[in-house]
Amino acid sequence: HFHVFISDYNRLSWGFNRRPDTEVIYHSINTDLFKPSGEERQNIITSVANDYINRNAELGFGLWQVLTKDLPTKVIGSTPGLSEPAKSIGDLVEQLGKSRIFLNTAIRSPLPMSLLEAAATECAIVTSNVCSIPDVFRHGKNCLMYSISRPEDGRRHLERLLNDEDLCKKLGQEARKMVIEKFNTQRFINQWQNLLEIETRKAIYPK
């Protein structure tokens, strides 16, 4: 058997610890679809989450409440009493493209797709530093990062970005560059193709 994981964090969490019968293949993001809209961005903080309130232990809804109190926010996702899902992928891309800041409050999520999608649209990212996120995002380069044990840092980052459009643009552009480099579709296809070819040869020509 050969085991494929979406991050080193997942591989280590499952106890495989860089064994030779394992491979890490990151998600892929369609950056031709998830891209900046070119429209003027609204000075708001957007988050994407489904069932945000009930999945507080994983997604950090309580943390979101603390970080965003009295700040301009938008939540996209199916959460009764809080938010509605995007009407389509195109609608999601459009809403992200109109938002200046994206806030990720995940507590137990190896590498949220919504975070990568927002980065691809050049939102300025404010994110928790859990799981695999610090492996691909860099504080001060392509995001502003905070520890879930220090929510006051996340709050300070949000307030700073709401008052600094130039920094938002810089972080957003660097975030998209990172996604294009590490999560592009061709890289994803090549890694899977190479892995399948190797394993097929092993099956046909066993030692």
Side-chain angles (χ1 to χ4, degrees):
H1 295 286
F2 201 92
H3 306 273
V4 179
F5 299 89
I6 63 171
S7 70
D8 272 317
Y9 172 85
N10 291 74
R11 177 161 59 178
L12 294 173
S13 295
W14 282 93
F16 283 80
N17 196 24
R18 300 183 182 276
R19 280 171 31 178
D21 60 344
T22 66
E23 182 73 39
V24 171
I25 299 180
Y26 281 139
H27 295 306
S28 71
I29 300 295
N30 183 347
T31 53
D32 291 329
L33 174 61
F34 285 91
K35 61 184 179 180
S37 66
E39 297 184 32
E40 183 177 353
R41 292 180 182 265
Q42 299 170 338
N43 199 23
I44 58 173
I45 301 159
T46 296
S47 297
V48 175
N50 287 314
D51 204 16
Y52 210 171
I53 297 171
N54 290 329
R55 297 173 65 203
N56 175 55
E58 293 80 26
L59 301 182
F61 176 69
L63 182 58
W64 177 86
Q65 289 179 300
V66 171
L67 292 177
T68 64
K69 184 179 180 182
D70 299 324
L71 298 180
T73 60
K74 177 201 296 183
V75 178
I76 305 168
S78 180
T79 303
L82 176 69
S83 63
E84 296 291 332
K87 298 179 180 66
S88 64
I89 294 294
D91 180 44
L92 174 61
V93 173
E94 183 179 356
Q95 291 194 59
L96 290 173
K98 290 180 178 179
S99 301
R100 186 178 292 175
I101 303 163
F102 183 86
L103 171 62
N104 172 55
T105 60
I107 295 173
R108 297 173 187 160
S109 181
L111 194 56
M113 287 292 285
S114 60
L115 176 60
L116 298 174
E117 291 166 350
T121 65
E122 293 190 1
C123 290
I125 301 297
V126 176
T127 181
S128 53
N129 66 348
V130 300
C131 304
S132 293
I133 294 171
D135 294 338
V136 296
F137 283 90
R138 295 289 180 269
H139 174 72
K141 179 174 176 58
N142 52 34
C143 77
L144 295 180
M145 198 174 292
Y146 65 92
S147 168
I148 59 174
S149 64
R150 289 182 55 86
E152 63 272 18
D153 291 342
R155 172 76 181 200
R156 188 173 66 253
H157 295 334
L158 293 173
E159 291 174 343
R160 178 183 179 188
L161 290 177
L162 287 170
N163 291 286
D164 193 336
E165 184 176 359
D166 289 340
L167 179 58
C168 285
K169 288 181 180 178
K170 177 185 174 184
L171 292 174
Q173 289 169 355
E174 289 296 325
R176 178 171 170 80
K177 287 180 184 177
M178 181 276 293
V179 173
I180 291 172
E181 177 187 348
K182 295 180 180 293
F183 297 92
N184 71 81
T185 302
Q186 192 58 54
R187 185 270 319 156
F188 179 82
I189 293 171
N190 290 344
Q191 280 190 275
W192 272 109
Q193 188 172 36
N194 291 339
L195 177 60
L196 292 173
E197 287 176 354
I198 291 170
E199 292 305 302
T200 298
R201 286 197 296 270
K202 286 180 182 177
I204 297 174
Y205 307 109
K207 292 181 180 180

